[in-house]
Structure formats: C-alpha cells, structure tokens
Amino acid sequence: MAKVLVSATRTGWARAAMIVGALALAGVAVAMAQGPAPAAGVQKVRFGGDRNETRIVIDLDRAASGKLLADGATDRRVVIGLPNVTVAGDLQGAGQGLVERWAIDEAAGGARLRLDLKANAEVRRRFLLPPGDGASAYRYVIDLKSTDAPGAQAPALRPTLVSAPVKASALRLKKVIVIDAGHGGKDPGSSGANTAEKDVTLAAAKALKARLEKSGRYTVVMTRQSDTFVPLEARVQVARRADADLFISLHADSGPDAATRGASVYTLSEKGTERVARVLEKDDWLMKANLPGRDRAVSQILLDLSQRATKNRSAAFAETLLQSVGEETVLLRRSHRDAGFIVLLAPDIPAVLLEMGFITNVDDEQLLKSSAGRGRLMDAVANSIESYFAAQTRIAAR
C-alpha cells in the first residue's frame, strides 16, 4: 500500500483571497477582490484559409487570454491553454487547411485546444478581438503558416462554422491514460504469503494497458514497465509530460487482520491540495507550462481554480470506478477515501489510486496472483474508464 502522506497548514481559498487583496493594494483592479472573473464559454470554432495559411477563430462569451503550450514543431500538434474558459465536455471535429482535426477539453482550470496539423506549420499570431463589425462575441484568433517548402497551393477554402457543442466523430483525438504500477525495484511494497505488491501491480498495469489499447481509443503511458524503482514525484511528471487525461495508480492494500479484504479508491484530500501550493513555493515542477503567467499570486489563484475542477473530475471517476470494480470483487465498507498521496498531486489531471484488494488476505491475494482474476478486474477498470469518457461526450453532445 502506498505509504507516503503529506501534510501542510490549511490555505485553500482563504489564501487565494489574501493574495487577491495584496494584488489590489499593488495596483491591480479592485474588482478582482470580489472573486475570480466569470468563466468564458466556448460558443463556436471556425476555420478559414488553405494549406499555406489557416486561421482558427474561437468565439467566446467574454474576454479571455491564451498561452501557447506546444508549438507543434516536433509532433505537428499545437496545444493552447485558455485559462478560466469553460467548455461543455469535450468538443472535437475535423479541421480545415493546415489543421487535420481539433479538440477542446477541460484542463488546468480552463480549456485546452489541441490542433493536429496536416503539414509542418508555425503559429504566426494569436490575439483577441472584442465584439464589433457585426460580431457579438469575443474572438480568440490563431493564425498558422506553413513552414514546408513552397509548392502548389490548394485553392482557398470557404470558412466553416462549427457550432459548439460538437458531437463526437471518428476523428476524435485519443485520450491519454497514464497507468502507474505502484512500488518497484528496491521498493517491494506490501507482502502477501507468496506475493510482493510490486509484482502484482506491474502485472495488473500491463493487463490494463493491453485492454485499453485493444479498443483503439486510447494512448497508454506507463510510469514503469519493468521491476524498476521510480520516485513518486517522477511518476507525476510522467503524467504531466504525457499531457494525460487521466492518471490511475494501482496498489495492493495490507493490514494486521488477515480477514480484512476488499478494494478501495483514493482521491486527493484537502491536505493534499494544500501540499501542492507548498511544493510550488520551492519548485514549480507540477505547474510548468500549464498555468499561464509567472506572477506567483495570479498563479496561486489559477491553481486553486484548477484543483477544484480536477478534484471534482477525480471524484466522478472514482465513483464510476468503484461501481465497475464492485461487480468483480469485494469493496471495503468505506470504499471511497481521500489522502495526500504524492502521486495524486498534479493539479490539472484527474487522478485516483486504486487499492485492488488486501494482499494480506488469502482470497484477495489469490485474485491478484491469478492472471484470469487480474484480467477480470482490469476489464472492470477499463469499463469504468470507457464510461467516464462516454459521460463527458454525452454532456458535450447535449
């Protein structure tokens, strides 16, 4: 069982309010002291141009800023963060011109736009236009320009209006799932009669990876693929570098009473959210590139917003996970718990820690040792992941 817990003095929104007050004294508009600005909502996504130059316009119901998170130079994927922008579930569809497909989802206390490009291109300009010239919405504009060698240009394409929300299509981007096999290497974890926790977690992680990849709907990243030791902080960094949509850490519980058995799920506790702020005070490894601006006070406010949204999504997945896993194995009486495990600390990635059962219980240990038993359990986990993202798609399609 994961044993690293974290603690800190309580900060939360009270601290954010103090920071806002300090900003106001420093000359920031007094209106900020009344609370965070209302979130801007995505209204339309529009494309125009050709294979040489393409313009993307996102219509919003109020002003918003953006941050370039990835320029697409290495993988032809441009990622732009839109803090404090709301989106009704995940939106996606076919692109136009230089853009093959696009998606907007929730991330880092706002929205994240991902553009998969057809050819090499660079972001030439990004700017916000206020309502005017017959437009009633704010418009966040992104201009792309091809960087490939000059050649025959395709004919100009007529602008396309895509009203959000957009129903899911065959061109939707794959969700990125990070699976963390608990312990490993010099850290064996808990021990059963004939089993080490690090071995059953790795076997379960491999089974879950195979099950998800078989569907063709997910990109799966593992924090370890062999019996190696990976520091806890590095596991979170793997998820953040992968731009994960979901993080699940697999463990096996233990206890002094051999009769105790059952699975449980942990999500981040209030003390854990406070720990994030403390970590960021000395190192911003949790927040690099995903929270715009370098002003620590403003970043703290955005961090609080991000954590609140992420905790809600983590809790929603945890309930779906328990319902599915409960069909294959016994659950603890209090099966949804919270804690400050370090692997749950990323402020912008929904994350859960699944205790698959008690390795110190003969029945649970047998389930986890058995390839067939692990397979059934991981099928249940995979089904819960399918249900979680399907629910988001249904919300977007309303």
Side-chain angles (χ1 to χ4, degrees):
M1 184 177 83
K3 301 189 182 297
V4 181
L5 295 176
V6 293
S7 62
T9 56
R10 191 168 297 274
T11 55
W13 281 99
R15 177 174 179 176
M18 292 175 64
I19 293 171
V20 172
L23 286 172
L25 290 175
V28 177
V30 177
M32 283 190 64
Q34 298 173 357
V42 176
Q43 295 180 338
K44 293 191 188 83
V45 178
R46 299 182 284 159
F47 291 84
D50 53 29
R51 293 292 294 269
N52 185 47
E53 293 185 346
T54 301
R55 170 165 289 187
I56 303 99
V57 180
I58 303 173
D59 286 1
L60 304 169
D61 62 6
R62 58 181 62 88
S65 61
K67 180 178 179 63
L68 184 64
L69 306 179
D71 62 9
T74 58
D75 58 2
R76 290 187 179 177
R77 172 172 286 185
V78 173
V79 182
I80 294 176
L82 299 167
N84 210 28
V85 171
T86 60
V87 55
D90 293 350
L91 313 178
Q92 58 268 316
Q96 187 171 315
L98 288 164
V99 179
E100 180 175 4
R101 56 193 178 188
W102 62 274
I104 300 179
D105 59 7
E106 294 182 350
R112 173 181 54 188
L113 169 67
R114 290 182 284 187
L115 303 171
D116 276 9
L117 306 181
K118 296 177 182 177
N120 296 319
E122 63 180 356
V123 178
R124 295 296 299 271
R125 289 175 295 273
R126 296 181 295 116
F127 53 92
L128 182 73
L129 293 174
D133 298 326
S136 59
Y138 285 86
R139 293 151 289 168
Y140 188 79
V141 180
I142 305 150
D143 285 341
L144 303 177
K145 183 174 178 59
S146 173
T147 57
D148 287 334
Q153 294 186 11
L157 300 173
R158 294 168 55 191
T160 299
L161 295 183
V162 183
S163 297
V166 178
K167 293 185 178 180
S169 68
L171 291 172
R172 63 171 293 166
L173 301 178
K174 290 183 178 181
K175 296 296 184 183
V176 178
I177 312 297
V178 172
I179 305 173
D180 173 43
H183 306 283
K186 65 182 181 181
D187 175 15
S190 300
S191 298
N194 302 293
T195 313
E197 181 182 1
K198 67 176 183 177
D199 296 327
V200 297
T201 60
L202 181 59
K206 289 180 176 179
L208 179 57
K209 180 177 186 288
R211 168 67 166 75
L212 291 173
E213 289 182 337
K214 185 178 180 180
S215 73
R217 288 186 287 273
Y218 303 98
T219 298
V220 181
V221 177
M222 293 178 61
T223 58
R224 68 179 181 98
Q225 302 192 55
S226 61
D227 185 18
T228 55
F229 174 76
V230 180
L232 296 173
E233 293 86 351
R235 296 170 189 251
V236 184
Q237 289 176 310
V238 168
R240 305 208 75 245
R241 285 196 298 266
D243 197 18
D245 295 289
L246 186 67
F247 178 94
I248 179 167
S249 186
L250 301 177
H251 288 259
D253 218 333
S254 64
D257 185 356
T260 302
R261 66 172 305 201
S264 60
V265 174
Y266 285 87
T267 52
L268 191 63
S269 68
E270 185 64 31
K271 287 186 178 295
T273 62
E274 294 163 3
R275 172 62 173 168
V276 176
R278 291 185 61 198
V279 170
L280 291 177
E281 288 177 358
K282 45 183 186 174
D283 186 4
D284 66 351
W285 61 269
L286 283 175
M287 197 170 63
K288 283 180 180 176
N290 280 49
L291 291 182
R294 302 307 300 170
D295 187 294
R296 301 300 294 178
V298 174
S299 293
Q300 176 65 49
I301 296 169
L302 294 175
L303 176 65
D304 288 339
L305 289 170
S306 175
Q307 286 177 296
R308 180 179 292 264
T310 302
K311 282 182 66 179
N312 289 341
R313 295 199 298 274
S314 298
F317 174 63
E319 292 301 320
T320 302
L321 177 60
L322 285 170
Q323 183 177 359
S324 186
V325 168
E327 296 176 359
E328 295 296 335
T329 189
V330 177
L331 298 179
L332 282 178
R333 179 176 299 178
R334 190 168 68 87
S335 53
H336 186 179
R337 305 181 174 207
D338 58 11
F341 295 124
I342 287 180
V343 293
L344 303 178
L345 286 186
D348 56 349
I349 301 172
V352 301
L353 186 149
L354 172 63
E355 297 281 10
M356 299 179 291
F358 277 74
I359 201 170
T360 47
N361 174 271
V362 62
D363 294 320
D364 279 356
E365 182 183 18
Q366 184 58 40
L367 174 71
L368 297 176
K369 283 175 56 180
S370 163
S371 176
R374 283 195 309 269
R376 291 192 302 273
L377 190 59
M378 291 304 102
D379 280 347
V381 174
N383 290 339
S384 70
I385 292 173
E386 296 271 11
S387 298
Y388 170 72
F389 287 117
Q392 289 192 346
T393 301
R394 285 194 298 271
I395 291 173
R398 288 176 184 171

